[in-house]
Each structure stands twice: as structure tokens, then as C-alpha cells.
Amino acid sequence: MLNIRIDSIAQRKEKPDSDKLGFGKYFTDHMFIMDYAEGKGWYDPRIIPFSDLSLSPAAMVFHYGQEMFEGLKAYRTSDGKILLFRPDKNIERMNNTNDRLCIPRIDPADALQAIRTLVDYEREWVPDKEGTSLYIRPFIIATDAALGVHVAHNYMFVIILSPVGSYYPQGINPVKIYIETEYVRAVKGGTGRAKAGGNYAASLIGQQKADKLGYAQVLWLDGIGHKYIDEVGAMNVFFVVGEEILTPSLDDGSILPGVTRASCIELLRSWGYDVAERKISVDEIYEASKNGSLKEAFGTGTAAVISPIGELNNDGDIITLNNGKIGPISQKLYDNLTGIQWGKKEDIFDWTLTVR
Ligand code: COI
């Protein structure tokens, strides 16, 4: 159990208008920090005012990118309770990422206590308007001032909080997705399954291309043959083909194991749908579109929740899905998932955790 001290109290800022939150633009008054030194372990857990970090310009994170992050949300229920959604899953994934990046693990109970304590301390920042939540961004950086390429001996674990609305300006309206055929995001044996900041840096060039063409996001393909569908970067993807729901399997290790992805699979199976986790080629999806069996597609993610896909562009070959409208399965998943998250529907899987 951590002995979290409140270092000093910030002047409370004015809260942003909950209609204009967008994603990740506003931050709460305080943040959590805990340091690590080899031989000492994680130490000095504290809540301090949200402020700039002071680091040596030689800090290893700036040079070799030894950094990981997580993303989860806190939701306010109509009776004023604050719920976390499956925080154990994010914490488990955090430690899996840490293992891949040679960052020391954090005791899951300590990580949960840090998240709960900070969210509780900042509870007035959890917005109550429908569709809004408090996004929780834990991250770890290597802080040694050293230019040799090696595993760092010192780290900082930080948690910041941001009241958010929808990730895409479109909200739950379908997004247009550009299939990237030149660059790749991850390959087998690389860091694709880890939540490493570097994965996102590598994806920016594709995102920039997509932006220029008026697409919301990039669909990444496998790094070997550019044939099989991996993920969208900010989301995992699902396709409804005939009576089956398909999503890329995690076997190659190049796809992020999303908490929303896992939850959607569990929900869909509990409703009796046939969900297959397997390799899915772009050709297969285009063929299904041609023969009329491709019914809908959607992305899943903590930030994006359920994001229907209205259009795919593969090297100029454009297909429209479900007439560019939200499909029934996307809608049902969105309603049920957010229903559980905001405490409006019975939490039959025991996924939510009350902050206090
Ligand atoms: C999330 O869904 O929490 C993500 O990490 C996606 C993102 C904003 C990078």
C-alpha cells in the first residue's frame, strides 16, 4: 500500500464548458507522481499541482524513447458515483508494456491506488454531461541523464487527468478510414502489442497522409506482406460479414490488446454472435463488400469507444459501408458498453469499480 502525500494544493481552475471538451485539451488541477531508482524501487508517491516537469535535457526518454502510457476513463453516474472501467486490465497491460520496454513493473495494487486516489481528489472534474468522462493518462518515462543506449536506472510514473468528450469531432457518426499501403506501424517481434509512445510516433506519417486526403484515421496492415488488417492505431477494428463478426487476432503481437476490444468480444458472444479472431485480408473485406455480405465495420478504443467506419480507401479503391450510416451492431455495442460505463445498465460482468 502506498503512502501518498498531498504535496501542495493548486488554485482550482475554472472548469471548461462540457459541450466543448473535445479530447485531451484540458487538464485538472493536480497530478500524481512517483519516482523509481534502481536498488530503491518505486518511491515518494505524491499528488502535486499540475505543472511542468523538470528534467535534464540528457534524460534518456528524450533520446531513446523509453516511454509507455495507458489510457482509461472515469465516468460519473446519475447518482453522483464515479466509476472506473476495468482498470485491472489497463494495469495488467501497463506491466506487459513495461516488460517489453525494460521498464520496472509497478505493483498492480499500488497503480490502482494511485489512480483511485488522484481521481477521487479531482472528482469535481469528472464531467456529468452525457457522453463525457474523465480520461486518465498514466505514463512512465526514463529519467537518467545519460546518452549511452542502455536500460535506464531511474524512472518517473505520472498520472494526468483530462475531462473529455468524443475523440472524433464526428462523435458516433461514421468515420472515413484510409488504408496505408506504404508505411507500417508494427511487425511481429516489435512493440506493436505494447503501449509505447514510439508506436504512435511511427504512425504519424500515415496519419498526416490520411489527414491531407480528408480521412479521419489510418488502417494499418501487417508489416510483412501489407495484406492483413492490423488496427487503426487509436482503435482496434471489427467487421460484420454475413452472420459472423471478424476482428484481427492478437497472435502476431503487432496489435494492441484493447480493453474495449476484449469487452466487445465478450458482449457480442454473450448475445450469441459468432466472433472470429483471425487474420483478415483487405482483399477479403473488399470481396465481401462486392458480394454484399459486408454489413458494417467499427473501431473500438477507450478514447473512441465505438466508432463506426463509413468508408474505406485502399489506394483509391473506395468502398462505402452501410451507406455511411451507423449499423445496428455498432449501435447496440455503443449503447450497452456506455450504459455499463455510466452506470445506466446492469454491470453483469462486474467490469466497473467505484472510486470511493
Ligand atoms: C485510448 O483509446 O485510450 C488510446 O490510447 C488511443 C489514443 C488516444 C492514443
Side-chain angles (χ1 to χ4, degrees), residues 23 69-72 93 135 137 167 195 200 233-235 256 301-304:
F23 184 82
F69 70 93
E70 265 303 328
L72 66 161
R93 189 174 65 187
Y135 188 75
R137 171 54 61 88
Y167 185 69
K195 207 141 174 75
Y200 296 79
M235 312 190 287
L256 190 82
T302 297

Side-chain angles (χ1 to χ4, degrees), residues 88-149:
D88 51 315
K89 286 270 181 204
N90 291 89
I91 292 168
E92 185 188 324
R93 189 174 65 187
M94 174 182 78
N95 278 323
N96 291 339
T97 301
N98 288 352
D99 290 348
R100 178 63 182 81
L101 298 181
C102 304
I103 293 172
R105 290 184 148 240
I106 299 181
D107 180 325
D110 289 350
L112 182 60
Q113 188 196 346
I115 292 168
R116 266 176 126 155
T117 307
L118 182 67
V119 171
D120 191 29
Y121 198 69
E122 301 287 77
R123 59 190 300 127
E124 63 187 66
W125 279 92
V126 185
D128 60 4
K129 191 168 177 286
E130 197 175 326
T132 64
S133 55
L134 186 70
Y135 188 75
I136 305 167
R137 171 54 61 88
F139 63 98
I140 304 174
I141 52 175
T143 55
D144 297 30
L147 296 185
V149 180

